[in-house]
Amino acid sequence: MVRSNPPVEEPDEKNVEVKDRPKDWAAGVPGVYYSMKPAIEHMGVDRTRKTLLALNQKDGFDCPSCAWPDPNHRKAFEFCENGAKAVTWEATPVVIGTEFWAEHSLTDLRSRTEYWLGMQGRLTEPVYKAAGEDHYRPVGWDEAFSIVARKLNSLDSPHEAAFYTSGRTSNEAAFLYQLFVRGFGTNNLPDCSNMCHESSGWGMGQTIGIGKATITYDDFAKSDLIIILGQNPGTNHPRMLTALEEAKEYGAKIVAVNPLPEAGLRRYKNPQRVSGIVGRGTEIADQFLQIRLGGDMALLQAVSKRVFEAEERNPGKVLDHDFLEKHCEGLESLKEHLAQLDEQAVLEATGLRSEEIDELAARYLRAERVIITWAMGITQQKKAVPTIKEIINLLLLRGNIGKPGAGASPIRGHSNVQGDRTMGIWEQMPSTFLDALGKEFSFDAPQDHGVDAVESIHQMRDGKIKVLIALGGNLVSAISDTQVAEAAFANTEMTVQISTKLNRSHLITGEEALILPTMGRTEIDVQESGRQFVSVEDTVCAVHPSWGSVEPVSHTLLSEPAIISRLARETLGDRVKADWAGFEKNYDLIREHISHVVEGCENYNERIRQEGGFVLPNGPRDSRTFRTPTGRAVLTVNDLEPLERPPGTLILQTVRSHDQWNTTIYGHNDRYRGIRKGRHVVFISPEDIAELGLSDGQQVDLHGVYDDGIQRVLRDFRVVSYPTARGCAAAYYPEANVLVPLDSVAEGSNTPVSKAVLIRVEPTAGEAADAKAGSAAAPA
Ligand SMILES: Nc1nc2c(c(=O)[nH]1)N[C@H]1C(S)=C(S)[C@@H](COP(=O)(O)OP(=O)(O)OC[C@H]3O[C@@H](n4cnc5c(=O)[nH]c(N)nc54)[C@H](O)[C@@H]3O)O[C@H]1N2
Ligand SMILES: Nc1nc2c(c(=O)[nH]1)N[C@H]1C(S)=C(S)[C@@H](COP(=O)(O)OP(=O)(O)OC[C@H]3O[C@@H](n4cnc5c(=O)[nH]c(N)nc54)[C@H](O)[C@@H]3O)O[C@H]1N2
Ligand SMILES: [Mo]
């Protein structure tokens, strides 16, 4: 089955093709065709079909891509391009052989792109890089665990280590991992959520007492109005388009708010329907508001203000007085505050016309049941937390929380990022959880808060954190300020990455480094007691099992629960009372402990085996109960501070292309935005291109404008004239992380401000001279 690695071609970034920008529809036949093609090429027809057929089926594996939920009534083959790519990427039979490590030094590998690294295939054996060496070399599992355990136990304090988690990790692995870390003595548990929906957790936690969606899957079909803020579902949550299409059939209206006219927000062709294939598809958005970056808080305040004005004109008829009196607090102060709102400031911050805001307000007032969904366009802003509080304000005013067809819906990214948090992956877990954990395993769980993702980089840079262990992910590429992050990694004594595939975080190492290869979710996991499953939680709190369905790519691989159990046993000895050997043999044992420790997971083993799994309790959704200090949902007052943009600058957002999964680059096309064969592009509106004296297709350098003495530049990017909002630009993540300052974070959540980076755009040095000489510049 194992195939040798075909040669991997890197793109020529100087010759990016741009055409047909942007597409106004998503999915449909080309989507399915394009997604099947790489799958077939990499995996062979049989393995492809088998793997894809098992995707999200009842006894199959949970899609390792996004956290979008499954409808209860699954179609035989709920297919999405995103899932197909993720599965193909993981289930590839191509592996990195033993000789690879001798052939490639770290210095060599550091010159490769993420695409090239990922294309090398699956990691299959543990490798170790000793201090002073420039190569990894294969080691046995036992040796690997003892190297790590010895290092951890040699530290002066447990707080000198940090333990990162990425959101593909299962509930079982996550639970064991946090137990191991807390048993070791620290809450240093940064995770990808710190860079993702952390702001949603804080904004919602402080207002309605829970940081999770207050809706179920079925609420979409019951809704009158769905407002989608700062999200690109056509690329990042394609199956959401099916739910939106269905909602439209039941009469819902949809409003999309985005600086970019994203395909899929505009029209959608459902590949599972004949009409989707032959017709023009469903027009998804009834209203599209092309907002400026960071303008949502102003927009939301302006809509809420119009709701209060409507109530003045029609006393008693507009607000949900019954709900507000019974369940909320803060109404009067919000009303007073919004009465002062400066309409001119709103128009400037949003770039919208008053009439557009009036129309949105009218739609909101006409609707009895409203869902607001959002993703990274909202959470990765300096004012993300207050913006999310404004979402909650608007919903609460008309009782749109805790009734069918209505609610707040942050749409999570990683397929189990929400479950990992439920299992205790958080540097700030409440003491109720820590106490329950300590009691279950007879130890004193540490209570002091640990470091989050940004703080872990600070402390590595400052030499306070000496060991970094990562359960999945690619922290050095995913975090902001690439040069600072790389220096921080290099300043550690040991880095350990538990991964499926090679990425940059394996190459920017501490003095010593290890890569521990693991099985993926697609693979059959057989342990001593038989075939195992794991469990995951989706974005609407539904928990269900995931069964691997293809043979592991190599029998030298260990599962994540096995790796963590062995590492914990080797490191902790009997510091916590836990049957580590038993956990590895039978995951039911892990779930038994989850039942005792994690609220809402009682009788986990029984309920996870029920048809379709189970849904975790959610106070606001189930019974309009709010776990806030007063037991009421809080309407909050938030001061508007629009982003400032000095003349000659643009505000840059960093986005995902259609051919990537976070730092994993599947290919170099971004079909819906008309980009082919490259990623080094910057999208700017034609008006701004003209105003800045640039031209479409020109090569430019992007200079970060941030006052901390660090020079941040991205060289040789191609200007793409694109209908984005005025004053705004967009470039791809993770390349553009070079420009995001580590200290530029969302207030209150510490999430990097990846969607509002102040930049200057300048012609690439030498370009003018090259043009004059009429010669081709030497390729870099
Ligand atoms: N194919 C694919 N799927 C994925 C991922 C992937 O990389 N690839 N990643 C997964 C993960 S971890 C996550 S978190 C999600 C991310 O899902 P998204 O949040 O959809 O991802 P982004 O590409 O960051 O897109 C942000 C969107 O917000 C808009 N936006 C940016 N700033 C603003 C603003 O100020 N206001 C408004 N209203 N809009 C704004 C952008 O134009 C863009 O459409 O997707 C998940 N699914
Ligand atoms: N500028 C900018 N920065 C961002 C963002 C942005 O929009 N703009 N988005 C942020 C967001 S939303 C997120 S979630 C983070 C993502 O940050 P991460 O979650 O750290 O990054 P990923 O790219 O998802 O991680 C991919 C790696 O995970 C490993 N992997 C894959 N599957 C498995 C598995 O089953 N088990 C294990 N152990 N390893 C596995 C593979 O080795 C792969 O290379 O990035 C953040 N950074
Ligand atoms: Mo994310």
Side-chain angles (χ1 to χ4, degrees), residues 428-457:
Q428 306 189 30
M429 280 309 273
S431 53
T432 42
F433 177 92
L434 298 171
D435 292 343
L437 186 73
K439 191 162 157 247
E440 180 77 1
F441 296 99
S442 311
F443 76 110
D444 288 324
Q447 299 277 341
D448 291 345
H449 290 173
V451 296
D452 63 12
V454 164
E455 182 58 19
S456 71
I457 300 294

PDB file of all heavy atoms in Angstrom, residues 428-457:
ATOM      1  N   GLN A 428      -7.235  28.367  31.716  1.00  0.00           N
ATOM      2  CA  GLN A 428      -7.960  29.029  32.807  1.00  0.00           C
ATOM      3  C   GLN A 428      -9.179  28.231  33.257  1.00  0.00           C
ATOM      4  O   GLN A 428     -10.225  28.819  33.553  1.00  0.00           O
ATOM      5  CB  GLN A 428      -8.431  30.415  32.349  1.00  0.00           C
ATOM      6  CG  GLN A 428      -7.322  31.285  31.810  1.00  0.00           C
ATOM      7  CD  GLN A 428      -7.788  32.716  31.566  1.00  0.00           C
ATOM      8  OE1 GLN A 428      -8.678  33.230  32.249  1.00  0.00           O
ATOM      9  NE2 GLN A 428      -7.178  33.376  30.605  1.00  0.00           N
ATOM     10  N   MET A 429      -9.091  26.924  33.291  1.00  0.00           N
ATOM     11  CA  MET A 429     -10.264  26.133  33.712  1.00  0.00           C
ATOM     12  C   MET A 429     -10.696  26.556  35.118  1.00  0.00           C
ATOM     13  O   MET A 429      -9.864  26.823  35.981  1.00  0.00           O
ATOM     14  CB  MET A 429      -9.945  24.638  33.716  1.00  0.00           C
ATOM     15  CG  MET A 429      -9.978  23.963  32.355  1.00  0.00           C
ATOM     16  SD  MET A 429     -11.462  24.229  31.360  1.00  0.00           S
ATOM     17  CE  MET A 429     -12.550  22.922  31.938  1.00  0.00           C
ATOM     18  N   PRO A 430     -12.016  26.609  35.356  1.00  0.00           N
ATOM     19  CA  PRO A 430     -12.512  27.010  36.674  1.00  0.00           C
ATOM     20  C   PRO A 430     -12.149  25.985  37.753  1.00  0.00           C
ATOM     21  O   PRO A 430     -11.921  24.813  37.454  1.00  0.00           O
ATOM     22  CB  PRO A 430     -14.034  27.087  36.480  1.00  0.00           C
ATOM     23  CG  PRO A 430     -14.316  26.282  35.263  1.00  0.00           C
ATOM     24  CD  PRO A 430     -13.087  26.316  34.406  1.00  0.00           C
ATOM     25  N   SER A 431     -12.123  26.451  38.997  1.00  0.00           N
ATOM     26  CA  SER A 431     -11.675  25.564  40.074  1.00  0.00           C
ATOM     27  C   SER A 431     -12.633  24.397  40.297  1.00  0.00           C
ATOM     28  O   SER A 431     -12.216  23.335  40.765  1.00  0.00           O
ATOM     29  CB  SER A 431     -11.472  26.342  41.366  1.00  0.00           C
ATOM     30  OG  SER A 431     -12.633  27.056  41.656  1.00  0.00           O
ATOM     31  N   THR A 432     -13.910  24.552  39.925  1.00  0.00           N
ATOM     32  CA  THR A 432     -14.832  23.415  40.069  1.00  0.00           C
ATOM     33  C   THR A 432     -14.308  22.227  39.259  1.00  0.00           C
ATOM     34  O   THR A 432     -14.306  21.089  39.736  1.00  0.00           O
ATOM     35  CB  THR A 432     -16.241  23.772  39.541  1.00  0.00           C
ATOM     36  OG1 THR A 432     -16.107  24.494  38.321  1.00  0.00           O
ATOM     37  CG2 THR A 432     -17.020  24.583  40.545  1.00  0.00           C
ATOM     38  N   PHE A 433     -13.848  22.506  38.056  1.00  0.00           N
ATOM     39  CA  PHE A 433     -13.312  21.433  37.203  1.00  0.00           C
ATOM     40  C   PHE A 433     -12.025  20.878  37.805  1.00  0.00           C
ATOM     41  O   PHE A 433     -11.839  19.667  37.918  1.00  0.00           O
ATOM     42  CB  PHE A 433     -13.061  21.964  35.778  1.00  0.00           C
ATOM     43  CG  PHE A 433     -12.435  20.937  34.862  1.00  0.00           C
ATOM     44  CD1 PHE A 433     -13.226  20.120  34.069  1.00  0.00           C
ATOM     45  CD2 PHE A 433     -11.050  20.779  34.794  1.00  0.00           C
ATOM     46  CE1 PHE A 433     -12.656  19.159  33.234  1.00  0.00           C
ATOM     47  CE2 PHE A 433     -10.467  19.818  33.973  1.00  0.00           C
ATOM     48  CZ  PHE A 433     -11.277  19.002  33.190  1.00  0.00           C
ATOM     49  N   LEU A 434     -11.132  21.799  38.202  1.00  0.00           N
ATOM     50  CA  LEU A 434      -9.827  21.355  38.723  1.00  0.00           C
ATOM     51  C   LEU A 434      -9.998  20.514  39.991  1.00  0.00           C
ATOM     52  O   LEU A 434      -9.300  19.514  40.182  1.00  0.00           O
ATOM     53  CB  LEU A 434      -8.941  22.574  38.985  1.00  0.00           C
ATOM     54  CG  LEU A 434      -8.621  23.408  37.731  1.00  0.00           C
ATOM     55  CD1 LEU A 434      -7.921  24.715  38.105  1.00  0.00           C
ATOM     56  CD2 LEU A 434      -7.775  22.607  36.739  1.00  0.00           C
ATOM     57  N   ASP A 435     -10.952  20.911  40.823  1.00  0.00           N
ATOM     58  CA  ASP A 435     -11.189  20.159  42.053  1.00  0.00           C
ATOM     59  C   ASP A 435     -11.713  18.758  41.742  1.00  0.00           C
ATOM     60  O   ASP A 435     -11.291  17.762  42.340  1.00  0.00           O
ATOM     61  CB  ASP A 435     -12.175  20.901  42.957  1.00  0.00           C
ATOM     62  CG  ASP A 435     -11.551  22.195  43.497  1.00  0.00           C
ATOM     63  OD1 ASP A 435     -10.303  22.320  43.437  1.00  0.00           O
ATOM     64  OD2 ASP A 435     -12.305  23.086  43.936  1.00  0.00           O
ATOM     65  N   ALA A 436     -12.648  18.696  40.787  1.00  0.00           N
ATOM     66  CA  ALA A 436     -13.203  17.389  40.417  1.00  0.00           C
ATOM     67  C   ALA A 436     -12.104  16.481  39.844  1.00  0.00           C
ATOM     68  O   ALA A 436     -12.055  15.285  40.133  1.00  0.00           O
ATOM     69  CB  ALA A 436     -14.332  17.558  39.402  1.00  0.00           C
ATOM     70  N   LEU A 437     -11.228  17.079  39.062  1.00  0.00           N
ATOM     71  CA  LEU A 437     -10.132  16.311  38.463  1.00  0.00           C
ATOM     72  C   LEU A 437      -9.191  15.777  39.546  1.00  0.00           C
ATOM     73  O   LEU A 437      -8.819  14.598  39.555  1.00  0.00           O
ATOM     74  CB  LEU A 437      -9.353  17.200  37.481  1.00  0.00           C
ATOM     75  CG  LEU A 437      -8.263  16.522  36.669  1.00  0.00           C
ATOM     76  CD1 LEU A 437      -8.883  15.634  35.581  1.00  0.00           C
ATOM     77  CD2 LEU A 437      -7.333  17.557  36.022  1.00  0.00           C
ATOM     78  N   GLY A 438      -8.824  16.674  40.477  1.00  0.00           N
ATOM     79  CA  GLY A 438      -7.928  16.278  41.558  1.00  0.00           C
ATOM     80  C   GLY A 438      -8.528  15.166  42.405  1.00  0.00           C
ATOM     81  O   GLY A 438      -7.840  14.218  42.808  1.00  0.00           O
ATOM     82  N   LYS A 439      -9.825  15.273  42.641  1.00  0.00           N
ATOM     83  CA  LYS A 439     -10.499  14.281  43.462  1.00  0.00           C
ATOM     84  C   LYS A 439     -10.521  12.920  42.758  1.00  0.00           C
ATOM     85  O   LYS A 439     -10.223  11.882  43.360  1.00  0.00           O
ATOM     86  CB  LYS A 439     -11.934  14.765  43.726  1.00  0.00           C
ATOM     87  CG  LYS A 439     -12.662  13.985  44.765  1.00  0.00           C
ATOM     88  CD  LYS A 439     -13.878  14.759  45.282  1.00  0.00           C
ATOM     89  CE  LYS A 439     -14.873  13.780  45.863  1.00  0.00           C
ATOM     90  NZ  LYS A 439     -16.124  13.672  45.112  1.00  0.00           N
ATOM     91  N   GLU A 440     -10.825  12.945  41.483  1.00  0.00           N
ATOM     92  CA  GLU A 440     -10.930  11.700  40.709  1.00  0.00           C
ATOM     93  C   GLU A 440      -9.598  10.949  40.663  1.00  0.00           C
ATOM     94  O   GLU A 440      -9.555   9.729  40.688  1.00  0.00           O
ATOM     95  CB  GLU A 440     -11.408  12.031  39.286  1.00  0.00           C
ATOM     96  CG  GLU A 440     -11.556  10.841  38.356  1.00  0.00           C
ATOM     97  CD  GLU A 440     -12.828  10.012  38.618  1.00  0.00           C
ATOM     98  OE1 GLU A 440     -13.604  10.382  39.518  1.00  0.00           O
ATOM     99  OE2 GLU A 440     -12.990   8.979  37.933  1.00  0.00           O
ATOM    100  N   PHE A 441      -8.495  11.716  40.609  1.00  0.00           N
ATOM    101  CA  PHE A 441      -7.188  11.059  40.430  1.00  0.00           C
ATOM    102  C   PHE A 441      -6.252  11.259  41.624  1.00  0.00           C
ATOM    103  O   PHE A 441      -5.037  11.111  41.509  1.00  0.00           O
ATOM    104  CB  PHE A 441      -6.530  11.551  39.134  1.00  0.00           C
ATOM    105  CG  PHE A 441      -7.304  11.184  37.899  1.00  0.00           C
ATOM    106  CD1 PHE A 441      -8.152  12.098  37.290  1.00  0.00           C
ATOM    107  CD2 PHE A 441      -7.203   9.909  37.365  1.00  0.00           C
ATOM    108  CE1 PHE A 441      -8.871  11.755  36.151  1.00  0.00           C
ATOM    109  CE2 PHE A 441      -7.925   9.555  36.219  1.00  0.00           C
ATOM    110  CZ  PHE A 441      -8.765  10.483  35.621  1.00  0.00           C
ATOM    111  N   SER A 442      -6.839  11.635  42.757  1.00  0.00           N
ATOM    112  CA  SER A 442      -6.097  11.742  44.021  1.00  0.00           C
ATOM    113  C   SER A 442      -4.823  12.576  43.921  1.00  0.00           C
ATOM    114  O   SER A 442      -3.726  12.107  44.220  1.00  0.00           O
ATOM    115  CB  SER A 442      -5.707  10.357  44.545  1.00  0.00           C
ATOM    116  OG  SER A 442      -6.808   9.516  44.544  1.00  0.00           O
ATOM    117  N   PHE A 443      -4.950  13.804  43.445  1.00  0.00           N
ATOM    118  CA  PHE A 443      -3.800  14.721  43.471  1.00  0.00           C
ATOM    119  C   PHE A 443      -4.321  16.158  43.582  1.00  0.00           C
ATOM    120  O   PHE A 443      -5.523  16.402  43.426  1.00  0.00           O
ATOM    121  CB  PHE A 443      -2.919  14.537  42.227  1.00  0.00           C
ATOM    122  CG  PHE A 443      -3.480  15.156  40.953  1.00  0.00           C
ATOM    123  CD1 PHE A 443      -2.889  16.280  40.387  1.00  0.00           C
ATOM    124  CD2 PHE A 443      -4.603  14.614  40.332  1.00  0.00           C
ATOM    125  CE1 PHE A 443      -3.409  16.847  39.221  1.00  0.00           C
ATOM    126  CE2 PHE A 443      -5.118  15.175  39.165  1.00  0.00           C
ATOM    127  CZ  PHE A 443      -4.518  16.292  38.612  1.00  0.00           C
ATOM    128  N   ASP A 444      -3.424  17.083  43.881  1.00  0.00           N
ATOM    129  CA  ASP A 444      -3.829  18.486  43.959  1.00  0.00           C
ATOM    130  C   ASP A 444      -3.600  19.141  42.607  1.00  0.00           C
ATOM    131  O   ASP A 444      -2.454  19.411  42.228  1.00  0.00           O
ATOM    132  CB  ASP A 444      -3.000  19.235  45.017  1.00  0.00           C
ATOM    133  CG  ASP A 444      -3.401  18.815  46.420  1.00  0.00           C
ATOM    134  OD1 ASP A 444      -4.607  18.562  46.628  1.00  0.00           O
ATOM    135  OD2 ASP A 444      -2.505  18.733  47.294  1.00  0.00           O
ATOM    136  N   ALA A 445      -4.673  19.393  41.897  1.00  0.00           N
ATOM    137  CA  ALA A 445      -4.519  20.027  40.583  1.00  0.00           C
ATOM    138  C   ALA A 445      -4.082  21.479  40.784  1.00  0.00           C
ATOM    139  O   ALA A 445      -4.599  22.160  41.667  1.00  0.00           O
ATOM    140  CB  ALA A 445      -5.829  19.960  39.816  1.00  0.00           C
ATOM    141  N   PRO A 446      -3.117  21.954  39.999  1.00  0.00           N
ATOM    142  CA  PRO A 446      -2.668  23.341  40.156  1.00  0.00           C
ATOM    143  C   PRO A 446      -3.820  24.289  39.838  1.00  0.00           C
ATOM    144  O   PRO A 446      -4.623  24.010  38.953  1.00  0.00           O
ATOM    145  CB  PRO A 446      -1.559  23.460  39.110  1.00  0.00           C
ATOM    146  CG  PRO A 446      -1.846  22.399  38.105  1.00  0.00           C
ATOM    147  CD  PRO A 446      -2.471  21.277  38.866  1.00  0.00           C
ATOM    148  N   GLN A 447      -3.875  25.406  40.566  1.00  0.00           N
ATOM    149  CA  GLN A 447      -5.014  26.325  40.382  1.00  0.00           C
ATOM    150  C   GLN A 447      -4.630  27.606  39.639  1.00  0.00           C
ATOM    151  O   GLN A 447      -5.485  28.245  39.041  1.00  0.00           O
ATOM    152  CB  GLN A 447      -5.613  26.696  41.760  1.00  0.00           C
ATOM    153  CG  GLN A 447      -6.152  25.507  42.554  1.00  0.00           C
ATOM    154  CD  GLN A 447      -7.580  25.103  42.160  1.00  0.00           C
ATOM    155  OE1 GLN A 447      -8.303  25.880  41.559  1.00  0.00           O
ATOM    156  NE2 GLN A 447      -7.971  23.882  42.503  1.00  0.00           N
ATOM    157  N   ASP A 448      -3.347  27.972  39.688  1.00  0.00           N
ATOM    158  CA  ASP A 448      -2.958  29.223  39.017  1.00  0.00           C
ATOM    159  C   ASP A 448      -3.141  29.104  37.515  1.00  0.00           C
ATOM    160  O   ASP A 448      -2.797  28.076  36.934  1.00  0.00           O
ATOM    161  CB  ASP A 448      -1.475  29.541  39.292  1.00  0.00           C
ATOM    162  CG  ASP A 448      -1.254  29.919  40.741  1.00  0.00           C
ATOM    163  OD1 ASP A 448      -2.263  30.208  41.429  1.00  0.00           O
ATOM    164  OD2 ASP A 448      -0.084  29.906  41.186  1.00  0.00           O
ATOM    165  N   HIS A 449      -3.651  30.175  36.900  1.00  0.00           N
ATOM    166  CA  HIS A 449      -3.828  30.152  35.450  1.00  0.00           C
ATOM    167  C   HIS A 449      -2.490  29.941  34.740  1.00  0.00           C
ATOM    168  O   HIS A 449      -1.448  30.399  35.197  1.00  0.00           O
ATOM    169  CB  HIS A 449      -4.444  31.468  34.965  1.00  0.00           C
ATOM    170  CG  HIS A 449      -5.865  31.615  35.390  1.00  0.00           C
ATOM    171  ND1 HIS A 449      -6.590  32.765  35.194  1.00  0.00           N
ATOM    172  CD2 HIS A 449      -6.702  30.749  35.999  1.00  0.00           C
ATOM    173  CE1 HIS A 449      -7.809  32.593  35.660  1.00  0.00           C
ATOM    174  NE2 HIS A 449      -7.902  31.388  36.159  1.00  0.00           N
ATOM    175  N   GLY A 450      -2.544  29.271  33.616  1.00  0.00           N
ATOM    176  CA  GLY A 450      -1.339  29.050  32.824  1.00  0.00           C
ATOM    177  C   GLY A 450      -1.239  30.064  31.686  1.00  0.00           C
ATOM    178  O   GLY A 450      -1.956  31.060  31.653  1.00  0.00           O
ATOM    179  N   VAL A 451      -0.353  29.777  30.742  1.00  0.00           N
ATOM    180  CA  VAL A 451      -0.150  30.688  29.608  1.00  0.00           C
ATOM    181  C   VAL A 451      -1.056  30.292  28.445  1.00  0.00           C
ATOM    182  O   VAL A 451      -1.357  29.130  28.243  1.00  0.00           O
ATOM    183  CB  VAL A 451       1.318  30.657  29.113  1.00  0.00           C
ATOM    184  CG1 VAL A 451       2.259  31.172  30.186  1.00  0.00           C
ATOM    185  CG2 VAL A 451       1.731  29.249  28.663  1.00  0.00           C
ATOM    186  N   ASP A 452      -1.480  31.309  27.673  1.00  0.00           N
ATOM    187  CA  ASP A 452      -2.193  31.044  26.428  1.00  0.00           C
ATOM    188  C   ASP A 452      -1.184  31.064  25.275  1.00  0.00           C
ATOM    189  O   ASP A 452       0.034  31.122  25.514  1.00  0.00           O
ATOM    190  CB  ASP A 452      -3.329  32.057  26.233  1.00  0.00           C
ATOM    191  CG  ASP A 452      -2.832  33.483  26.111  1.00  0.00           C
ATOM    192  OD1 ASP A 452      -1.606  33.693  25.954  1.00  0.00           O
ATOM    193  OD2 ASP A 452      -3.660  34.409  26.160  1.00  0.00           O
ATOM    194  N   ALA A 453      -1.668  31.041  24.041  1.00  0.00           N
ATOM    195  CA  ALA A 453      -0.749  30.897  22.902  1.00  0.00           C
ATOM    196  C   ALA A 453       0.213  32.086  22.796  1.00  0.00           C
ATOM    197  O   ALA A 453       1.429  31.905  22.682  1.00  0.00           O
ATOM    198  CB  ALA A 453      -1.546  30.723  21.603  1.00  0.00           C
ATOM    199  N   VAL A 454      -0.335  33.301  22.844  1.00  0.00           N
ATOM    200  CA  VAL A 454       0.528  34.478  22.707  1.00  0.00           C
ATOM    201  C   VAL A 454       1.520  34.557  23.875  1.00  0.00           C
ATOM    202  O   VAL A 454       2.715  34.778  23.694  1.00  0.00           O
ATOM    203  CB  VAL A 454      -0.330  35.767  22.609  1.00  0.00           C
ATOM    204  CG1 VAL A 454       0.505  37.014  22.853  1.00  0.00           C
ATOM    205  CG2 VAL A 454      -1.009  35.843  21.239  1.00  0.00           C
ATOM    206  N   GLU A 455       1.016  34.314  25.087  1.00  0.00           N
ATOM    207  CA  GLU A 455       1.884  34.407  26.262  1.00  0.00           C
ATOM    208  C   GLU A 455       2.955  33.299  26.234  1.00  0.00           C
ATOM    209  O   GLU A 455       4.081  33.507  26.695  1.00  0.00           O
ATOM    210  CB  GLU A 455       1.025  34.320  27.536  1.00  0.00           C
ATOM    211  CG  GLU A 455       1.785  34.444  28.849  1.00  0.00           C
ATOM    212  CD  GLU A 455       2.592  35.735  29.016  1.00  0.00           C
ATOM    213  OE1 GLU A 455       2.314  36.723  28.305  1.00  0.00           O
ATOM    214  OE2 GLU A 455       3.526  35.756  29.853  1.00  0.00           O
ATOM    215  N   SER A 456       2.634  32.153  25.679  1.00  0.00           N
ATOM    216  CA  SER A 456       3.645  31.091  25.623  1.00  0.00           C
ATOM    217  C   SER A 456       4.808  31.531  24.736  1.00  0.00           C
ATOM    218  O   SER A 456       5.963  31.229  25.040  1.00  0.00           O
ATOM    219  CB  SER A 456       3.040  29.758  25.153  1.00  0.00           C
ATOM    220  OG  SER A 456       2.700  29.810  23.786  1.00  0.00           O
ATOM    221  N   ILE A 457       4.515  32.262  23.658  1.00  0.00           N
ATOM    222  CA  ILE A 457       5.589  32.752  22.790  1.00  0.00           C
ATOM    223  C   ILE A 457       6.447  33.767  23.562  1.00  0.00           C
ATOM    224  O   ILE A 457       7.683  33.725  23.534  1.00  0.00           O
ATOM    225  CB  ILE A 457       5.020  33.387  21.490  1.00  0.00           C
ATOM    226  CG1 ILE A 457       4.203  32.364  20.707  1.00  0.00           C
ATOM    227  CG2 ILE A 457       6.141  33.985  20.627  1.00  0.00           C
ATOM    228  CD1 ILE A 457       4.972  31.192  20.141  1.00  0.00           C
TER     229      ILE A 457
END
